[in-house]
């Protein structure tokens, strides 16, 4: 299997793709999203939603 390679710094390996929770949190302390990035150069691979608002909670 091929190792992922960062498009910016060209470092290879899954161990270089890391994620962190957002600083923004819901009222119950859950992070809103995760940011996946290269731990060598900081290139952002994506932002992934962790918390969603339930439309049925709004009356």
């Amino acid at each position: 299997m091929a190792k992922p390679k960062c498009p910016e710094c060209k470092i290879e390996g899954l161990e270089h793709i890391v994620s962190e929770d957002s600083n923004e949190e819901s009222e119950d302390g859950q992070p809103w999203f995760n940011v996946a990035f290269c731990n060598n150069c900081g290139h952002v691979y994506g932002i992934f939603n962790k918390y969603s608002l339930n439309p049925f909670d709004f009356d």
Side-chain angles (χ1 to χ4, degrees), residues 2-34:
K3 292 182 178 182
K5 185 186 329 184
C6 177
E8 294 293 322
C9 69
K10 309 300 185 220
I11 197 165
E12 291 186 12
L14 192 56
E15 65 274 11
H16 297 290
I17 300 175
V18 296
S19 69
E20 287 187 16
D21 290 339
S22 65
N23 292 334
E24 292 79 8
E25 296 180 340
S26 64
E27 290 178 1
D28 62 354
Q30 295 293 320
W32 284 356
F33 54 88
N34 282 107

